[in-house]
């Protein structure tokens, strides 16, 4: 059992340290110049679409295996330690990609990156929520995490803007070296996170923490619904994001300008992330319409197969990003004292499991259709989900 620390009055200095560290960490963690280019690196190294999809699946399977145990570990020991360890593993993986580009090296890099993601998933949300709650400021969580997502997306955008010039100067190795350096900076920044918890249950170990968290998820219907909502929203669009450079290339954009096209998409996603606080007021109906409208934009934008259609892809990704943040906010508010990282990781586990299925389905569909057609096809689950969710809400009213 985990005993949360007593709440203390919020102080400007303590909250400022938390938020500044969080925003800096989020920015650096996503300031990876390989992001807009690694799918092209794989293709240019001779990998087929099936091999590329298998790498993405391996990435998610690693998360599936470690997601929940790492969340329980974060609840039992130090969340801050996991947050600085993760970027170090990513740095090793990125170095492998550019030093020995091969299927085996790409696979090893994705395993390391998957471990890194599992260590941070759940740990960050739990650390931030509990630190805010300790200062009586839990109601700021949506706004703080929305800004953190925006900071991360600014990192993605900065990486996309810098990737082209760096690639032109030194190719994939220069881009990889910059990515490794940023990971090291992210690890250093993570050591600045405040973490003040009384972990009475530490002697019980992570296994006991894991059992407690899973038992809570099974017995609390409201919590279970919030847990299921996170993967339902996040799994498809987050998987499609990995193929977006290939979609952009298919529209006729030259390789050197692919990062800039992606930059425009993520500029919209970043801007919308800042609306997470006000968007909390969206009820079930508003949330459902957000999902439906994003799905329609995704399908229409993908089917145009032109650079102009990327604007609709940007609208779709922005809507799905906002819905993902709101789903996480709902989950955090449903979790009672203790086991926060564990339960957040349970939601992450669901996302990873479904994402693996999306990767496999994409590989199958991609053998018979264009990337634009496959993107449009994957808008259907969102539309069906929105219809079902709307019908259930109407029946309950």
């Amino acid at each position: 059992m985990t005993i949360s620390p007593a709440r203390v009055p919020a102080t400007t200095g303590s909250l400022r340290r938390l938020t500044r560290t969080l925003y800096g960490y989020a920015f650096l963690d996503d300031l990876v110049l390989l992001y807009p280019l690694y799918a092209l690196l794989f293709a240019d190294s001779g990998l087929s679409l099936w091999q590329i999809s298998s790498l993405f699946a391996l990435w998610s399977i690693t998360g599936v295996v470690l997601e929940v145990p790492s969340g329980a570990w974060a609840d039992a020991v130090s969340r801050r330690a996991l947050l600085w360890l993760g970027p170090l593993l990513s740095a090793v993986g990125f170095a492998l990609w550019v030093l020995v580009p091969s299927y085996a090296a790409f696979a090893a890099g994705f395993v390391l990156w998957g471990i890194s993601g599992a260590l941070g998933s759940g740990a960050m949300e739990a650390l931030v929520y509990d630190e805010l709650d300790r200062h009586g400021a839990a109601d700021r969580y949506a706004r703080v995490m929305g800004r953190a997502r925006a900071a991360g997306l600014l990192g993605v955008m900065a990486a996309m803007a810098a990737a082209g010039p760096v690639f032109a100067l030194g190719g994939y190795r220069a881009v990889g070296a910059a990515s490794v350096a940023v990971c090291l900076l992210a690890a250093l920044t993570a050591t600045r996170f405040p973490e003040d918890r009384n972990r009475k249950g530490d002697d019980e170990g992570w296994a006991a923490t894991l059992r407690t968290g899973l038992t809570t998820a099974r017995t609390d219907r409201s919590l279970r619904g919030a847990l299921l909502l996170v993967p339902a929203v996040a799994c498809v669009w987050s998987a499609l994001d990995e193929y977006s450079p290939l979609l952009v290339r298919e529209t006729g954009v030259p390789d050197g300008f692919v990062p800039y096209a992606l930059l425009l998409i993520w500029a919209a996603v970043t801007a919308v992330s800042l609306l997470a606080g006000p968007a909390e007021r969206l009820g079930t109906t508003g949330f459902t319409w957000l999902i439906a409208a994003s799905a329609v934009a995704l399908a229409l934008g993908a089917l145009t197969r032109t650079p102009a259609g990327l604007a609709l892809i940007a609208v779709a990704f922005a809507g799905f990003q906002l819905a993902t943040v709101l789903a996480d906010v709902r989950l955090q508010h449903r979790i009672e004292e203790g086991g926060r990282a564990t339960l957040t990781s349970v939601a992450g586990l669901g996302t990873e499991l479904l994402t693996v299925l999306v990767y496999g389905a994409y590989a199958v569909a991609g053998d018979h259709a264009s990337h634009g057609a496959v993107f449009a096809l994957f808008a259907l689950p969102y539309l069906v989900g929105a219809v079902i969710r709307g019908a259930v809400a109407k029946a309950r009213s």
Side-chain angles (χ1 to χ4, degrees):
M1 178 179 178
T2 302
I3 305 298
S4 16
R7 288 175 174 78
V8 297
T11 61
T12 302
S14 58
L15 292 181
R16 183 183 296 122
R17 177 186 172 187
L18 171 65
T19 55
R20 285 183 174 178
T21 303
L22 173 64
Y23 301 155
Y25 180 82
F27 178 81
L28 291 170
D29 196 43
D30 280 326
L31 185 63
V32 179
L33 273 65
L34 276 168
Y35 277 179
L37 295 173
Y38 64 73
L40 303 184
L41 168 63
F42 302 157
D44 292 343
S45 298
L47 271 61
S48 67
L49 180 60
W50 270 100
Q51 288 177 308
I52 293 174
S53 295
S54 71
L55 290 174
F56 294 157
L58 177 62
W59 185 16
S60 288
I61 289 170
T62 303
V64 167
V65 173
L66 297 176
E67 183 79 38
V68 177
S70 67
W73 188 21
D75 279 329
V77 288
S78 170
R79 295 160 180 171
R80 178 173 54 203
L82 270 59
L83 290 175
W84 64 254
L85 177 60
L88 296 181
L89 298 177
S90 297
V92 175
F94 295 149
L96 285 174
W97 284 2
V98 295
L99 291 177
V100 283
S102 62
Y103 184 85
F106 297 148
F110 267 124
V111 169
L112 290 170
W113 200 4
I115 295 172
S116 172
L119 292 179
S121 177
M124 176 186 288
E125 293 87 348
L127 185 151
V128 172
Y129 193 95
D130 282 349
E131 284 298 312
L132 289 173
D133 190 41
R134 190 171 68 88
H135 291 286
D139 59 327
R140 304 185 193 180
Y141 178 79
R143 183 167 68 252
V144 169
M145 288 306 293
R147 291 175 178 176
R149 298 291 178 94
L153 294 171
L154 284 173
V156 172
M157 292 168 60
M160 290 174 179
V166 174
F167 180 77
L169 288 174
Y172 288 118
R173 287 207 171 191
V175 173
S179 300
V180 169
V182 169
C183 287
L184 298 179
L185 287 175
L188 181 62
T189 301
T191 63
R192 291 285 302 159
F193 273 114
E195 185 177 27
D196 188 356
R197 294 190 296 150
N198 296 322
R199 296 184 295 271
K200 185 177 178 180
D202 283 358
D203 57 342
E204 299 177 357
W206 69 267
T209 305
L210 175 59
R211 287 193 299 271
T212 300
L214 293 178
T215 299
T216 303
R218 286 196 305 269
T219 57
D220 188 329
R221 181 177 179 180
S222 176
L223 174 59
R224 189 165 62 249
L227 284 170
L228 293 173
L229 182 63
V230 173
V233 172
C235 69
V236 174
W237 85 273
S238 60
L240 292 180
D241 174 41
E242 304 306 325
Y243 298 96
S244 57
L246 300 176
L247 175 69
V248 172
R249 174 189 270 180
E250 187 179 77
T251 66
V253 175
D255 286 358
F257 289 91
V258 168
Y260 301 117
L262 295 174
L263 179 62
L264 295 177
I265 294 174
W266 287 99
V269 177
T270 302
V272 168
S273 295
L274 296 174
L275 301 176
E280 266 198 286
R281 294 191 291 269
L282 283 176
T284 300
T285 300
F287 186 89
T288 301
W289 276 108
L290 174 65
I291 294 294
S294 301
V296 171
L298 176 64
L300 293 178
L303 288 174
T304 63
R305 298 182 63 183
T306 65
L310 297 176
L312 286 173
I313 299 295
V315 172
F317 276 21
F320 290 136
Q321 167 69 10
L322 181 58
T324 301
V325 174
L326 294 176
D328 172 61
V329 171
R330 179 185 177 186
L331 173 60
Q332 299 304 325
H333 287 324
R334 293 292 192 280
I335 298 175
E336 300 293 337
E337 303 289 357
R340 186 173 301 280
T342 302
L343 291 170
T344 304
S345 290
V346 169
L349 172 63
T351 301
E352 295 292 350
L353 285 170
L354 292 176
T355 299
V356 171
L357 296 179
V358 175
Y359 290 147
Y362 196 105
V364 172
D367 274 348
H368 305 285
S370 66
H371 291 289
V374 178
F375 267 63
L377 178 65
F378 278 109
L380 291 178
Y382 284 118
L383 287 173
V384 172
V387 170
I388 293 174
R389 185 175 174 84
V392 170
K394 185 176 180 180
R396 289 178 178 175
S397 61

